[in-house]
Amino acid sequence: MVSYGPEQRVHVPELRAAWREQTFLHWAYAPERVQRLLPDGLVVDTYEGSAWVSLTPFVMAGVRPPAFPAALPDFAETNLRTYVRGPDGRDGLWFLSIEVACPVMLAARAIGLPYHLGHLALSRRGGLQAYTGTRRGGGARYRVAVRPGEPVRPTHRDVWLTSRWRCYSLRLAMLWETPVEHEPWPLCEARLDGLEETLTRAAGLPAPGAEPLLHFSEGVRRVRFGLSRPVRTGRADGAS
């Protein structure tokens, strides 16, 4: 079962931050389409027989890396992610790509996280949230516009799609695990007002064939990332 609240405490965080104004766009895919993009040691997680891929644009705020005396200025980030089970069966995230406007975050490539520097922006007008991004050097890009609605009481599917407490990455032929702790997501309805994206195709997936399922959240304020560590219960020798 996926947990609504954090599954572990991060007592000594490697990074502190807040995630603000986050939109979630979720698409169902055939599990075999997603599994072929995962390294050995990870198995695609499914909900009612489907794998899911989510595009999540948001604002990173109050980011405090180790040894930085003050927080970084706020910046935009956008993840393309899917849902997996690790070698021990625990649920987590696998990032297909991470677009970011802050060069400092490229340091996370050291543990295999797929950061790409780009030009990202968020604008707000008349209740409309518009996110745009273009990967540096051209290529992958997106434009997402949504209208947030009323708060919702999360269903089991809502929790499954939004509440994950670790991510996996691949570095030096090994799986790494990074724990995260924050308060549960306060979710709202959202209506799609415009969507163009090539991130899914750049990641090796077919373009989505249906409208996404949407969530919006004003965000979570106390995000604590733990120390990344190799996963000792399995080995990854490359993409399957």
Side-chain angles (χ1 to χ4, degrees), residues 1-8 19 22 24 26 45 54 56 81 83-85 90-93 154-167 180 182-187 215 220:
M1 296 291 292
V2 174
S3 171
Y4 178 55
E7 294 180 354
Q8 70 277 306
W19 295 331
Q22 180 148 336
F24 301 83
H26 315 281
D45 202 2
S54 300
T56 61
R81 70 193 202 181
Y83 304 87
V84 298
R85 294 277 170 177
R90 293 192 300 171
D91 60 88
L93 295 174
T155 65
H156 183 271
R157 184 176 66 174
D158 295 336
V159 173
W160 192 94
L161 287 167
T162 59
S163 299
R164 300 288 170 132
W165 307 105
R166 65 190 55 82
C167 74
V180 65
H182 58 77
E183 63 268 36
W185 285 104
L187 297 176
H215 297 100
V220 289

Side-chain angles (χ1 to χ4, degrees), residues 194-209:
L195 172 62
E196 300 172 13
E197 64 86 21
T198 62
L199 294 175
T200 49
R201 282 175 286 174
L205 289 166

Side-chain angles (χ1 to χ4, degrees), residues 102-119:
C102 176
V104 172
M105 298 303 292
L106 298 182
R109 288 177 174 175
I111 57 165
L113 289 174
Y115 274 94
H116 301 276
L117 193 62
H119 302 284

Side-chain angles (χ1 to χ4, degrees), residues 72-86:
L72 298 174
D74 295 357
F75 58 90
E77 183 171 319
T78 295
N79 302 332
L80 186 70
R81 70 193 202 181
T82 192
Y83 304 87
V84 298
R85 294 277 170 177

Side-chain angles (χ1 to χ4, degrees), residues 15-18 60-65 67-75 102:
L15 189 73
R16 299 173 186 265
M60 281 281 272
V63 177
R64 286 179 173 269
F68 271 63
L72 298 174
D74 295 357
F75 58 90
C102 176

Side-chain angles (χ1 to χ4, degrees), residues 131-171:
Y131 309 84
T132 58
T134 302
R135 190 174 295 176
R136 188 169 65 177
R141 63 183 63 224
Y142 63 89
R143 177 186 176 277
V144 175
V146 299
R147 294 187 181 276
E150 295 298 315
V152 298
R153 182 175 182 177
T155 65
H156 183 271
R157 184 176 66 174
D158 295 336
V159 173
W160 192 94
L161 287 167
T162 59
S163 299
R164 300 288 170 132
W165 307 105
R166 65 190 55 82
C167 74
Y168 295 98
S169 58
L170 183 67
R171 176 68 171 167

